[in-house]
Structure formats: structure tokens, C-alpha cells
Amino acid sequence: MVAVQDTPQDLVDVLVAQKVLTSEVAQKIKTEQADSGKPFKEIILNGSFASEDQMAQAEGRLKNIPYIDLEETAFSPMALNLLPQAVAEKYTLIPIEYDKASGELSVAMADPLDLATIQFISKKAGVRIKPLIASPPQIKEAIGAHYTQSLAAEVRAVLKEAPEPINIKTVDLAQLGEVIREAPIAKVVSTILEFAMRARASDVHIEPQETRTRVRYRIDGILHEKLILPRRIHESVVSRIKILCGMKIDEKRVPQDGRFNFKAGDQEIDLRVSSLPTSHGEKIVMRLLKKSGGVPDLHELGLRGLALKNLEDAILRPHGIILVCGPTGSGKTTTLYSVLSRINTPRVNIITLEDPVEYQIAGVNQVQVNPAAGLTFASGMRSFLRQDPNIIMVGEIRDRETTDLAVQASLTGHLVFSTLHTNDASQAPPRLLDLGAEPFLLTSSVTCIVAQRICRRICPDCKQEVEPLPEVVADIKQVLGKLWGGKPVKLSVGKGCQACSNTGYRGRIGIFEVLPVTEKIGRLILEEAPAVDISKTALAEGMITMKQDGYLKALEGLTTLEEVLRVAEE
């Protein structure tokens, strides 16, 4: 007599047993499989009948392989060091834990029955493999999060390959270039840059100190110390970077600038490099500029509502000056690039004068300032007017001559964009008056002033609502005034997770105030009124301040009040 088997026979039966699929849906899937011959897994995922996590759990049960939820798992640095990231990414797997006693490495895999892969990684790591099953999206996310955290371990492993201490001072200058091209120095530099790309860093600081070299990354506007290098390899690392960007490696007494491209996988970045002699050696700062991904549009930057409408009205005019204000690092250039991308068509001639050119925009004539050759903002502006431009973008108004040229260009029918270092929009007209502009000319030329800051976004993966304290609620109501709609105040924070390196923040968003130069504002400029009076009039006409914009974005759960106050507190 044959025993009746109660266990599920296939993937669909397992999903029914786990109450993921109903019997009706299961029958429909089996009919489609019989008609098409496609695997159950393909039909289920294409039809969105189950998530990849649910599929992984079901496959684990069907194949009698333990399922592991990687979001709830702690990863051992020792285990991660046994398999390189390239192998993990290629085969969609990640090491989790290494048991020294048994010599067994637990590995989460998308396909734990792939014996050839198991055999390969067992040989690569020199240990026995215990396969577990996890969903491919969780594995990919874990690779990005946990291998970035093992930067120091990667560099240590590279340095161990060096047969003897590296000290380029003892090497003949003629041989220096060859030495620093060799591993492990080339590998150390490559590892530092690869981590910068994975961590979404905007800058890398390589700083010599008395007994060590510190590597810091600016991520979402904040510097994080991620790596300490032995002091003995500092000069080799600096020389390697100098060779890559075409600097003089034997000149260590004066600052130098250079740039080079770096590619990792499908991402390519442009690196702007600056060296600076310090008391302990040369400091290197590398600015990372993505070549792919394009320029975000104005809405993506955080502009919306009346502020966005006022700016769009100004940029559609054929002439006038539009100013973007804020301190260094507040995203002014990105906003200007977004505006230029919006109005860039074959029907207009756009010329920019920048220091330096940060992103390439197709169809725009971009010029790099070169004071050594006599090409300054002022001399460039004079030349531009002979190039039949419709739109001119000048990187910064910083002196009387540039101010006068910008005003004259706008009055002769050109649309002029530029930046100004003021704290808010209402301070821009007095600043231009200080630079020697005539009040009656400013009133006729300046059409719109934007002031901005950048806040860190709350990480969407670990965002949670919190109940604000009564004094916080009172502050929100007081700052927002009529803008507060009377709804219950709910705020959000990021508790910290793998995706955001436990910071609670991932990505950034702008907070803005947009001041259109109306008839009343123009009259105040003509009277050379102080910034306070301009601000009061603009608020009466409906302008939202940066702080108010930030508070509204905090109420929407995009950022936190702490971030808004960090960047926008007066």
C-alpha cells in the first residue's frame, strides 16, 4: 500500500500552504504553466502573485534549505573578508557567519542548489559552505550596505600584500612613477574611490596627521571618518593620485589642481582634485561629479507651489537677472543647471562662465574661468556679449565690474543667471548696491531672487513617526503662522538601518525662498531700503521663508526639524 504524501508537491502548493496564494489563483497559475511551459517562478513573479521574499521562503521550504531574512541578520566582518565583493555581486550571494570550530561559512544565496558556484566559493574561501536561501533584492541591498562598512578591512588586506614597508622617499625619482603604479598602492586608491561611489560621497579628504593618515567622506553634506591609513604610505597614495590627474609629483610646496575620470561597473565619475601643503604633508581633496544620471529638475530639488511658479515665470521672460543665493555648498550651481536644462532648446544660444565647469550640459556652451590666462568673470562677460547669446550664466557676481556687466547685459535684452553669497533673498539687493550697482538699474534688471539650503532626507527604509513635544509643536505653529493648516502635528525620524549606514538619513532635498521683484519690492530697492524692509514686504506678498519651507517639509516627513535648524537657523 502506498502512503499518502501530505507535503506540498511544487512551489505553487507551498505558497498555498503558506497562505500566500488562494486555491483559485494557484489553479490559474498551474493552467498557465501547462499551456505555456514557463516555470512556476517566472509566472508568479511576472504576475506579481507573490513577492521575492515570499518566493525565497517557499523555495527554501520546498528544497529543505533554511530561509534567512537579511534585514534581521547580523553580518560577521570575518565572514565578509573571506569572499570579495566582486564574487558576491557576480553570483548574488553574501557570507553571513564563519564558524571557526567547524570551518563552515554560512552563505545566503539566491540559488542555493547551484553546486558549481558552491564549489567555486568553497575553493576561493578555503572553507566548507553552508548554503542558505534569501531573496535577490535583499542580497543585493546587503552587499551594498555591508561591504561598504568593511572598507578598513579591505585596505588592510591590500596592505598585507606588500612584501615590505612602502616608503617612496627611498626610491629614485626616475623610478617613482613605476613604484606607485604597482599594487598595493594602486589598489588602495582604487578601493578608496570605489567606496566613495558606493557611499554616495560628494568629496573625499585624504589628510596627513602626525602619526597616521585620515580618510574622510562627505556623505549628504556631513563628513564621516571611514578609514585610517598608515602614515608610511601617505606619500605613495598622494603621488598615485597626482599621476592620475596630471599633477607634478615632485612639487610639494604649492597647491595644485587636476582632474581625472574613474569608472567602476556601469558608473563613471569625474574627479576634481586639489592638493594643499600642510605641516604634516600634502592634503588631497577629491570632488566627485557623476557623469551619468543627468541634472535633477526643479521639482526634484524641492521647489514647489508658489515658489516654483514665481521662478518659472521669471525664467520664461526673455531678459532680466535671476540670482541664486546661499553659502558655499548650498546647491546653488545645481539649481542653475536645473534651470538651464529646463530652458535649453536649439532656438536659444546659452553661454556659461564657470569656476569650474562641474557638469556637462548638452547644447550649452560652457567656459572655464582661467585667471592665469586673463579669462576672468568680467573679461569673459565682455567677450560673451559679442557671441550673440540669448542666455548668459555667470558662476558668481563678486565684484563691481561683473555686477555692472550683468546689469548691462540684462538691460540689452539678455537673460542673465548668477549666484551671490548672501544668507537670504532679501539681502541680495543691498549686496548688489554695495558692489556699486545703481538702484534705478537694479529695479529694471533683477526679476527674481532665490535663496536656498540643503537638508538631509530621512531614510525611507527606516522612517518612523514620532510624537513631538508640546514646545516643539508651539514652535512649529509660531514659525508657520497662517501656513499651519490646523492639522495634528506629526514628525518623522530615521531610526538608522543598513541602507543609510545607521545615520537615519539618505539623500538630500533643498529648502527655498523665492522673492520675485514686484512693483513694491522695486520701489524699496530704488529707495535703497534695508534687507529687513524688503523681507517684510515680500512676506506680506506671500513669500515663504526657507525656514518655513523646511518646517513644511518636516511635517511631510521628508526631513527633520533638526536638519532644518542646522542649515537655516538665522
Side-chain angles (χ1 to χ4, degrees):
M1 185 176 175
V2 178
V4 178
Q5 192 169 1
D6 293 328
T7 54
Q9 298 295 305
D10 56 39
L11 197 58
V12 176
D13 294 332
V14 175
L15 290 167
V16 171
Q18 293 178 336
K19 298 185 178 175
V20 175
L21 301 178
T22 63
S23 302
E24 293 77 15
V25 172
Q27 190 56 51
K28 180 183 171 184
I29 292 168
K30 288 189 175 185
T31 304
E32 185 178 339
Q33 195 276 332
D35 292 342
S36 66
K38 292 179 183 176
F40 283 131
K41 187 172 180 178
E42 185 181 333
I43 295 169
I44 293 166
L45 288 176
N46 287 346
S48 300
F49 296 115
S51 69
E52 295 210 46
D53 286 347
Q54 291 169 329
M55 290 290 291
Q57 290 180 53
E59 283 189 282
R61 182 173 170 186
L62 183 68
K63 297 167 182 175
N64 202 27
I65 294 170
Y67 165 80
I68 186 162
D69 183 351
L70 298 183
E71 289 182 357
E72 305 293 328
T73 302
F75 290 77
S76 158
M78 186 185 294
L80 289 165
N81 286 338
L82 288 172
L83 286 175
Q85 183 174 355
V87 171
E89 287 173 343
K90 183 176 180 181
Y91 296 102
T92 318
L93 54 85
I94 185 165
I96 294 167
E97 191 176 7
Y98 177 57
D99 186 341
K100 271 188 176 178
S102 63
E104 191 173 65
L105 178 66
S106 298
V107 180
M109 303 177 68
D111 184 5
L113 293 184
D114 184 348
L115 298 179
T117 297
I118 291 172
Q119 190 175 3
F120 169 73
I121 61 174
S122 175
K123 190 174 179 183
K124 179 87 177 167
V127 294
R128 286 191 298 111
I129 302 297
K130 178 186 176 184
L132 308 169
I133 191 166
S135 69
Q138 279 199 2
I139 292 173
K140 286 171 185 171
E141 187 176 336
I143 289 170
H146 291 284
Y147 273 103
T148 57
Q149 291 172 5
S150 63
L151 172 67
E154 284 183 55
V155 172
R156 278 199 301 272
V158 169
L159 293 176
K160 280 180 186 174
E161 296 170 15
E164 58 186 31
I166 309 151
N167 190 338
I168 64 169
K169 287 181 180 174
T170 60
V171 179
D172 182 19
L173 190 61
Q175 300 172 317
L176 185 61
E178 293 306 314
V179 170
I180 59 185
R181 282 190 184 94
E182 294 170 4
I185 292 302
K187 180 65 177 168
V188 168
V189 173
S190 177
T191 303
I192 288 170
L193 292 176
E194 283 172 10
F195 177 84
M197 293 176 75
R198 295 199 303 265
R200 302 173 294 104
S202 61
D203 300 84
V204 181
H205 293 237
I206 300 174
E207 303 168 306
Q209 297 177 326
E210 192 172 356
T211 58
R212 61 183 195 161
T213 291
R214 176 171 70 171
V215 181
R216 293 192 291 172
Y217 294 83
R218 191 176 292 281
I219 302 167
D220 294 333
I222 306 292
L223 279 169
H224 299 269
E225 185 177 302
K226 293 285 186 182
L227 177 65
I228 297 297
L229 293 173
R231 185 68 180 84
R232 61 185 167 83
I233 72 163
H234 176 78
E235 291 189 30
S236 300
V237 169
V238 168
S239 296
R240 169 66 178 162
I241 293 167
K242 281 181 159 187
I243 279 188
L244 288 172
C245 59
M247 292 183 189
K248 296 176 181 175
I249 60 173
D250 58 338
E251 178 56 84
K252 301 177 184 181
R253 299 164 300 167
V254 297
Q256 294 185 67
D257 294 299
R259 61 196 307 165
F260 68 97
N261 290 347
F262 182 78
K263 192 169 184 179
D266 58 348
Q267 274 194 314
E268 187 174 358
I269 54 170
D270 186 19
L271 287 111
R272 213 171 67 220
V273 185
S274 169
S275 73
L276 179 73
T278 71
S279 56
H280 295 299
E282 285 184 284
K283 177 183 174 180
I284 295 283
V285 175
M286 295 183 280
R287 166 68 56 89
L288 281 75
L289 304 167
K290 276 190 181 179
K291 286 196 149 190
S292 55
V295 177
D297 66 29
L298 294 171
H299 190 268
E300 287 173 332
L301 292 176
L303 275 160
R304 68 252 179 104
L306 184 62
L308 179 59
K309 182 182 181 302
N310 285 334
L311 179 58
E312 285 179 330
D313 288 347
I315 65 178
L316 291 175
R317 293 181 186 178
H319 54 81
I321 298 176
I322 296 171
L323 296 170
V324 182
C325 306
T328 302
S330 59
K332 301 187 297 294
T333 307
T334 303
T335 299
L336 286 176
Y337 281 150
S338 297
V339 170
L340 291 180
S341 297
R342 169 75 69 93
I343 57 180
N344 181 20
T345 70
R347 296 191 299 275
V348 294
N349 177 23
I350 302 176
I351 309 180
T352 75
L353 186 59
E354 304 172 58
D355 184 20
V357 174
E358 293 196 9
Y359 294 96
Q360 302 288 340
I361 307 176
V364 174
N365 305 288
Q366 295 172 272
V367 179
Q368 167 90 41
V369 168
N370 185 356
L375 179 54
T376 62
F377 283 125
S379 66
M381 278 284 286
R382 280 194 296 273
S383 303
F384 279 12
L385 296 173
R386 296 191 288 273
Q387 285 282 319
D388 184 32
N390 300 100
I391 296 159
I392 298 170
M393 193 267 267
V394 190
E396 186 185 341
I397 291 178
R398 59 172 71 158
D399 55 36
R400 178 167 190 161
E401 195 176 3
T402 314
T403 306
D404 289 343
L405 286 165
V407 169
Q408 290 303 325
S410 73
L411 293 174
T412 52
H414 302 91
L415 187 57
V416 180
F417 295 95
S418 192
T419 69
L420 202 60
H421 285 281
T422 62
N423 288 329
D424 58 37
S426 61
Q427 291 179 18
R431 173 77 179 129
L432 291 173
L433 291 171
D434 289 343
L435 288 172
E438 294 290 348
F440 67 95
L441 293 179
L442 276 190
T443 304
S444 310
S445 57
V446 178
T447 57
C448 186
I449 305 165
V450 180
Q452 68 179 79
R453 300 288 190 278
I454 305 179
C455 295
R456 290 182 291 172
R457 277 181 183 267
I458 297 171
C459 174
D461 292 352
C462 61
K463 183 165 82 170
Q464 58 183 24
E465 277 196 355
V466 292
E467 200 68 41
L469 296 170
E471 53 266 35
V472 174
V473 175
D475 179 52
I476 290 171
K477 291 178 182 177
Q478 189 265 321
V479 169
L480 291 180
K482 294 177 184 176
L483 296 172
W484 178 61
K487 295 177 183 176
V489 175
K490 292 285 182 187
L491 298 174
S492 300
V493 296
K495 64 180 182 180
C497 65
Q498 296 170 9
C500 62
S501 301
N502 291 311
T503 61
Y505 297 100
R506 199 170 85 215
R508 295 196 283 176
I509 189 167
I511 59 173
F512 298 86
E513 64 184 38
V514 178
L515 191 161
V517 179
T518 60
E519 189 179 333
K520 285 184 181 178
I521 300 290
R523 199 174 302 125
L524 289 173
I525 295 172
L526 199 56
E527 295 167 1
E528 299 189 35
V532 175
D533 293 349
I534 294 173
S535 180
K536 281 180 184 174
T537 304
L539 289 169
E541 292 183 340
M543 183 185 81
I544 295 173
T545 67
M546 277 185 291
K547 193 172 180 182
Q548 288 175 330
D549 189 33
Y551 272 40
L552 290 170
K553 282 169 177 153
L555 290 176
E556 289 175 34
L558 296 174
T559 187
T560 62
L561 290 182
E562 289 80 9
E563 271 298 290
V564 176
L565 294 172
R566 179 178 69 84
V567 300
E569 186 65 289
E570 290 126 15

